[in-house]
Amino acid sequence: MSMRIDVTGLPPERVTFAPSPLAELGMSLHVLSDPDHHPGLRGWAASVSAALDRDLADRLSQADFLWRTTFSDVFAPFAGLPGRRAVPGETLADEMELLDKLSDEQFVHVALEFTCRLDYDMLHPGPLDSPEMRARSLELAAARGSVQEAFARRLLEDPPAVRAWFRELIRDCDEAFFADIWDRVGPQLAADAREKNELLRRRGLARALAAVSTAVSLDERTGVVTVDKLLAGRATTGEGNLALVPTSLGRPHLMVLSRYGWQVTLTYPVTAPAPGSPTVEQLTLRMTALAHPVRMKLCRHLARTPHTTSELAQALGMTPPEISRHLGVLKKAGVIVTRRHGRYVQHQMDLTTVARLGTDFIEGVLR
């Protein structure tokens, strides 16, 4: 499974790396609402949460579905502007002006997009225009709690009032904690964007994307960018730009905005995973290989010391061909290593790889 972006005919001048203060603020809200996704930021999240005044904390809880389990496109308003060639604003104030340029229909649609499971990559009436979509939105919002249902109802009944409420919320978050964060991470993100833009200019899109993440690649023959994620989807840049937005707080999330009619946008962490991080397919192979009861018994032996196929067959009461088949599965999954010692071929578990599996799995499913 993966996200595929058709960039056929896209010239380099329509590819832009640029940081987004509004996107990073959204990431900070995500960390505050679910710090388990970002273990390295738990201390920061705890200190900020403890310092929030009660009023701001209560307001954040009303609309937390915009950033808790997913990431609403309300934090990427530049992508929704006509022409699909805008870039993020340099300051938070600039980006709030871009947000003001979205229509009420766009704002409501992106605000309810993940919470209410509205179709993402198709053109259809939104909840402001369709009574059926409106009822569906409220029903699914209610499943997330009375506070979220009340917010969704307010949003549908009076979009301008909720937009003003959201603008004030962003301003208060900036004053309470985000301005300090942006002073720290903004220069890092700007430097990363400059580096990637220079790499794009000198070496081309394939090299620039490879520098973004080992999970992103370009097939120059077909003109398709593949983003290795635990979901399937397609998008095309068409006449629009391809925007790439670095994030410091967002690791391990690697997100693709592919909304119908919006500019395709890839948000990537500036601190990349370690070289050799497994693909989703490799994670699946490893977990499947280790889940089999016979292979679990084999691993018990292989984790302690190297064994030959004959030794394992004798220990498990199986034939050497049967053991060989199971070893082949483990080897293909990359969880054992095989070495020759004179006349003997010995197998042993790769403890480093297996020890990382938990972290790799978490990063893979959150990517």
Side-chain angles (χ1 to χ4, degrees), residues 51-103:
L52 287 180
D53 67 67
R54 183 177 295 276
D55 174 68
L56 180 55
D58 288 344
R59 284 185 288 149
L60 287 174
S61 70
Q62 294 179 40
D64 69 351
F65 56 69
L66 295 177
W67 54 76
R68 176 181 286 275
T69 55
T70 47
F71 194 70
S72 170
D73 294 341
V74 73
F75 294 101
F78 71 92
L81 299 184
R84 298 183 295 158
R85 294 192 182 185
V87 296
E90 292 186 5
T91 68
L92 192 58
D94 292 338
E95 297 222 276
M96 295 310 293
E97 290 183 7
L98 296 178
L99 184 65
D100 288 342
K101 293 181 180 181
L102 298 183
S103 66

Side-chain angles (χ1 to χ4, degrees), residues 112-134:
L112 295 176
E113 121 200 0
F114 293 111
T115 303
C116 299
R117 301 176 188 170
L118 302 179
D119 290 338
Y120 190 72
D121 56 357
M122 298 174 59
L123 178 62
H124 59 75
L128 289 183
D129 303 316
S130 167
E132 179 182 355
M133 292 297 294
R134 178 187 179 92

